Amino acid sequence: MVAPESIVEAFEGAGYRLTSPRRALAALIAARTGHFTAEDLLAEANRGRHGPGRATIFRSLEVLAELGAVERLDLPSGGHAFVACEPAHHHHVVCSSCGRSTEVSDNGLEGMAEAIQRETGYRVDTHRLELFGVCPRCRSRAT
Amino acid sequence: MVAPESIVEAFEGAGYRLTSPRRALAALIAARTGHFTAEDLLAEANRGRHGPGRATIFRSLEVLAELGAVERLDLPSGGHAFVACEPAHHHHVVCSSCGRSTEVSDNGLEGMAEAIQRETGYRVDTHRLELFGVCPRCRSRAT
DNA sequence: GTTTTTGCAAACCATTTGCAGGGTC
DNA sequence: GACCCTGCAAATGGTTTGCAAAAAC
């Protein structure tokens, strides 16, 4: 869904050192088609015998989330997951069947935030929108 | 922000038994002006010496969230909190300074969901929108 | 009297942290 | 060579669970 290089570049561009655990992690993330949890990556890393360790995975995901190369999602279940993405403001629709996700511009939401600001008097600083549904592929397969 | 009775009624209406721990919890929740964590309630419950225990608090919050008497929030920090609310579809603007929150109709969002559906082909089932900012009171106080 | 709820404390699980050795710039 | 990064394993902190006693219906 995302090239491993773009993740490596995120590290690089922000002045982080290029290490083999980070390269390996980039590959693991790039190999994912949908959203994934830290646990998923960890399991995958342990499968191959030279994958990054638990601590590195968590630490790197945090960095990547800060850099915007990855976004943290709050699943309806209360758990956390991540999706690789382009570093621009946007949101995701996540397929609850296969986990695949698609980016969505927040076209319209900006306006809504302004309307809310006017109505409530709050100064709205940030928002998070998460959409969950079924992707086209799963819809047709489900038939 | 919400009357204790409305919470008690939520239990009642759904066929749950009315117990004193549940009444006490309803009062604790009603006393909150903003969002609160399970931990907050637990601390408060322990202050008075006959409050509900840890397990009951978590179990009840889960039930109330299911019933829609309370909504679970995902804070930007990654933690979880709750707000008491009316059981209708809506969203909240949460003040990051004092924790107070206000309900917001999702006026407009419905339309957005449809647009997204059309654009991406996903069938959108649910969404969660959380807004964070500074409430009027804190804005003026902050000057 | 039957069924639900509670409380306690132990179990859990994801995530974080301290620290010494190793790798990168 | 200096400083950043990693792995390990132990600590953490919020949330869940098993079970016997207590309360509601």
Side-chain angles (χ1 to χ4, degrees):
Chain A
M1 275 228 134
V2 159
E5 299 83 49
S6 74
I7 296 174
V8 171
E9 279 164 18
F11 277 123
E12 197 169 32
Y16 289 92
R17 293 187 175 170
L18 290 185
T19 64
S20 56
R22 283 179 181 159
R23 287 175 201 282
L25 186 70
L28 287 178
I29 292 176
R32 293 274 148 188
T33 57
H35 62 181
F36 53 88
T37 63
E39 205 53 43
D40 289 338
L41 292 185
L42 184 53
E44 194 63 39
N46 289 336
R47 209 175 311 291
R49 68 219 55 97
H50 44 23
R54 195 199 335 284
T56 300
I57 289 180
F58 280 97
R59 283 190 277 235
S60 299
L61 283 174
E62 191 185 339
V63 168
L64 290 172
E66 241 161 49
L67 299 180
V70 131
E71 183 167 337
R72 191 176 196 146
L73 297 180
D74 302 297
L75 304 179
S77 66
H80 297 136
F82 297 84
V83 274
C85 59
E86 297 308 320
H89 189 71
H90 64 268
H91 301 283
H92 295 102
V93 216
V94 178
C95 177
S96 32
S97 170
C98 68
R100 197 171 274 107
S101 74
T102 299
E103 299 190 4
V104 165
S105 70
D106 73 348
N107 183 11
L109 236 195
E110 292 296 332
M112 237 191 102
E114 264 172 45
I116 288 168
Q117 198 153 311
R118 237 175 293 119
E119 273 176 45
T120 64
Y122 275 62
R123 187 190 69 216
V124 177
D125 297 328
T126 61
H127 61 255
R128 30 175 38 191
L129 172 66
E130 280 153 25
L131 298 130
F132 299 90
V134 183
C135 73
R137 194 181 311 205
C138 290
R139 288 178 78 172
S140 57
R141 199 181 311 162
T143 310
Chain B
M1 275 230 132
V2 158
E5 299 83 49
S6 75
I7 296 174
V8 171
E9 277 164 18
F11 277 123
E12 197 170 30
Y16 288 92
R17 293 186 177 173
L18 289 186
T19 66
S20 56
R22 282 178 182 160
R23 288 176 200 281
L25 186 71
L28 287 179
I29 292 176
R32 294 271 148 192
T33 57
H35 62 182
F36 53 89
T37 63
E39 205 53 43
D40 290 339
L41 292 185
L42 184 52
E44 195 62 40
N46 288 336
R47 209 175 311 291
R49 70 218 52 98
H50 44 21
R54 196 200 333 286
T56 300
I57 289 180
F58 279 98
R59 284 189 278 234
S60 299
L61 283 173
E62 191 185 339
V63 168
L64 290 172
E66 241 161 48
L67 298 180
V70 130
E71 182 168 335
R72 189 175 198 150
L73 297 179
D74 301 297
L75 304 179
S77 66
H80 296 136
F82 298 84
V83 274
C85 58
E86 298 308 319
H89 189 71
H90 63 268
H91 303 283
H92 296 101
V93 216
V94 179
C95 176
S96 31
S97 168
C98 68
R100 196 172 273 104
S101 74
T102 299
E103 299 191 3
V104 164
S105 70
D106 73 347
N107 183 12
L109 236 194
E110 291 296 332
M112 238 191 99
E114 263 172 46
I116 288 167
Q117 199 153 310
R118 236 176 291 119
E119 273 175 44
T120 64
Y122 275 62
R123 187 190 68 217
V124 177
D125 296 329
T126 60
H127 61 254
R128 32 175 37 193
L129 171 65
E130 279 153 26
L131 298 131
F132 300 90
V134 183
C135 74
R137 193 179 313 203
C138 290
R139 288 178 78 172
S140 57
R141 198 180 310 161
T143 310

